[in-house]
Amino acid sequence: MLPQTVNENILILVVQGRLQYTMNQATLIAEKGDLVFIPKGTYRGAENYMKEPHQKFSALFHHTIPSGTVPLLDKPAFTKAKVRNFEYIKKRFEALHREHLEGKPMHRFIGSGILQELIGIASRDVETGEISPMKWQQSGKIQQYITANYRRTIHARELAEQIGRSTNYTISLFKEVTGQTPVQYQRHLRITEARSLLLNTAMTVAEISEYLGFYDSSYFYRTFKKETSLSPSAFIALCEKEKDPAGEPDPHSSAE
């Protein structure tokens, strides 16, 4: 999904796989069991994480609830929380989705009640497990440093120096906020760039491997396949097939 400003509030439950969101210049990885609230006006982009298949439920809504009534709805920025009763929340999203699809009498009234319940539960879970603005800021500094240096080896102490904390705290903080370790985030940046180079340049696998800082081509090959489930050559072949209108549908397209 190309970045755009959302015109409605969105409440999302991820039920399978992982998604990568870019919201107001910050990167967020959401995985199974995560509730994500995106307030109206957020500049948002989203995609499957490394082309993994995913499934999620999304509820889009406007509201006239007075400020101070539901803490979640007062938040000016996007928020993520791990749900405490995943199966129950999933069933309530399924019920909301079913009411919307079937359109039976009173479906709007019933759907509104289900949505209010979900917003209330999400607000309670966020309040008990909220990530502070300071942590978002610190994570952003680490992300910027990794992005600027992702082609070389980055030591944990370098990241810790960016926020003036211990290495253990820094790694734990980054994982809490983004859903990835710094190593995973750097690897994601490298493989994302590798995908672009494979499709848009004449560079060989060996040249791309060296350019991106991998110590040998075989390690690059293994990492690429681990991250994308495809070898570099298979990835190129799949992308070429997807350009063909007569090809099969993209197997990684998301399902709401």
Side-chain angles (χ1 to χ4, degrees):
M1 178 187 297
L2 294 176
Q4 59 183 327
T5 300
V6 298
N7 297 317
E8 298 176 278
N9 300 290
I10 308 175
L11 185 65
I12 296 166
L13 175 69
V14 182
V15 298
Q16 179 183 335
R18 291 180 291 180
L19 298 93
Q20 175 174 309
Y21 287 101
T22 302
M23 292 186 281
N24 297 338
Q25 308 304 314
T27 299
L28 173 72
I29 304 297
E31 60 186 7
K32 178 180 177 180
D34 284 341
L35 269 174
V36 180
F37 173 67
I38 305 174
K40 178 180 177 181
T42 301
Y43 187 66
R44 177 200 65 167
E47 61 179 328
N48 288 342
Y49 178 76
M50 299 307 296
K51 285 204 166 185
E52 291 181 6
H54 79 268
Q55 183 181 8
K56 70 179 186 295
F57 287 106
S58 300
L60 286 68
F61 63 95
H62 296 285
H63 73 87
T64 56
I65 299 174
S67 177
T69 304
V70 181
L72 178 68
L73 300 181
D74 293 336
K75 294 186 180 299
F78 62 90
T79 305
K80 181 182 80 168
K82 187 69 70 176
V83 297
R84 288 165 172 74
N85 192 339
F86 173 75
E87 290 301 328
Y88 178 76
I89 300 301
K90 179 183 175 183
K91 288 184 182 300
R92 298 307 285 155
F93 265 100
E94 288 172 344
L96 178 62
H97 185 58
R98 186 168 56 251
E99 289 293 334
H100 174 73
L101 286 180
E102 294 178 353
K104 294 180 178 179
M106 299 298 294
H107 75 276
R108 291 186 180 276
F109 184 80
I110 295 171
S112 177
I114 296 172
L115 179 58
Q116 287 187 46
E117 179 189 10
L118 288 170
I119 293 171
I121 293 172
S123 185
R124 183 174 59 197
D125 285 350
V126 165
E127 287 301 297
T128 56
E130 183 178 8
I131 297 173
S132 70
M134 178 60 71
K135 287 185 176 181
W136 282 110
Q137 183 181 26
Q138 291 174 328
S139 176
K141 288 182 178 180
I142 298 168
Q143 288 184 44
Q144 291 174 10
Y145 188 82
I146 296 174
T147 300
N149 297 278
Y150 73 96
R151 288 170 51 199
R152 66 169 180 83
T153 300
I154 301 174
H155 299 287
R157 66 174 182 275
E158 297 177 58
L159 303 179
E161 288 170 357
Q162 302 306 306
I163 59 174
R165 303 299 293 264
S166 70
T167 56
N168 287 340
Y169 174 87
T170 300
I171 294 171
S172 177
L173 161 77
F174 194 82
K175 172 73 172 179
E176 178 185 0
V177 175
T178 69
Q180 299 174 290
T181 66
V183 170
Q184 290 170 329
Y185 184 71
Q186 181 183 14
R187 187 167 62 219
H188 169 68
L189 292 176
R190 284 178 166 181
I191 298 304
T192 298
E193 179 67 6
R195 290 160 59 190
S196 176
L197 294 172
L198 286 167
L199 296 177
N200 301 309
T201 75
M203 293 174 69
T204 66
V205 168
E207 290 170 339
I208 293 173
S209 173
E210 181 179 0
Y211 176 76
L212 294 176
F214 290 90
Y215 61 79
D216 63 34
S217 297
S218 61
Y219 178 58
F220 166 73
Y221 184 96
R222 293 194 303 271
T223 302
F224 189 93
K225 190 166 186 179
K226 179 179 180 180
E227 291 293 310
T228 67
S229 300
L230 297 168
S231 67
S233 59
F235 170 75
I236 294 172
L238 176 63
C239 290
E240 289 298 324
K241 185 177 182 180
E242 289 178 348
K243 291 179 182 178
D244 181 2
E248 293 297 322
D250 179 4
H252 302 288
S253 59
S254 65
E256 293 291 346

